Amino acid sequence: MAPSISLQDSPHVTTVTHKIRKPLVEKLRRERINGCIEQLKSLLASEFLQQQPDSKMEKADVLEMTVCVLRRLRAHRTEAKEDFGGSHDEEKKTPPRGVGKESSAESSPWRPW
């Protein structure tokens, strides 16, 4: 009886399978990213209209604006905790690095440049 050769074990089949799957997996990954960016756009639509009402937002602009809004929300939350007695110590706690009045979106509006 002749030895049987399995095509599934050969390196050529593995390479071909990888070459077929990789573009499909990459396409799905890009679709997920684009879908999430579209969701961020819809969630932050009012912010976008305030900043640049007539321009088309690039993906990087959407991400930068999202970071700016989240930092502003964090700063407001920190201020609210301090205002309502979240800290009973004499010294005030400093906000996390990158968060504060000097880096908040209120004192310096978001700009993509």
Side-chain angles (χ1 to χ4, degrees):
M1 196 170 192
S4 65
I5 299 174
S6 172
L7 292 177
Q8 293 177 351
D9 297 333
S10 75
H12 176 70
V13 172
T14 304
T15 304
V16 170
T17 304
H18 179 71
K19 286 182 179 180
I20 292 171
R21 284 186 47 142
K22 186 176 179 182
L24 294 175
V25 170
E26 180 63 20
K27 181 180 178 186
L28 291 173
R29 185 186 73 81
R30 284 191 315 268
E31 286 177 0
R32 285 178 44 220
I33 291 170
N34 290 336
C36 290
I37 289 176
E38 288 301 317
Q39 288 178 13
L40 287 173
K41 274 186 189 179
S42 66
L43 289 170
L44 300 172
S46 62
E47 292 287 332
F48 293 137
L49 291 175
Q50 289 175 4
Q51 296 295 326
Q52 297 179 354
D54 297 331
S55 65
K56 181 178 184 279
M57 301 295 285
E58 295 181 3
K59 293 175 188 177
D61 296 333
V62 173
L63 294 174
E64 287 174 347
M65 176 66 105
T66 303
V67 169
C68 181
V69 168
L70 290 174
R71 282 187 176 151
R72 186 175 58 208
L73 288 173
R74 181 191 278 174
H76 285 301
R77 187 182 319 152
T78 302
E79 290 172 6
K81 282 182 182 179
E82 290 173 359
D83 289 344
F84 291 114
S87 173
H88 295 290
D89 299 336
E90 290 295 320
E91 342 171 18
K92 289 194 172 188
K93 295 181 182 179
T94 57
R97 197 176 104 205
V99 176
K101 292 193 184 265
E102 66 278 353
S103 67
S104 73
E106 289 178 26
S107 61
S108 60
W110 173 83
R111 290 186 179 84
W113 55 88

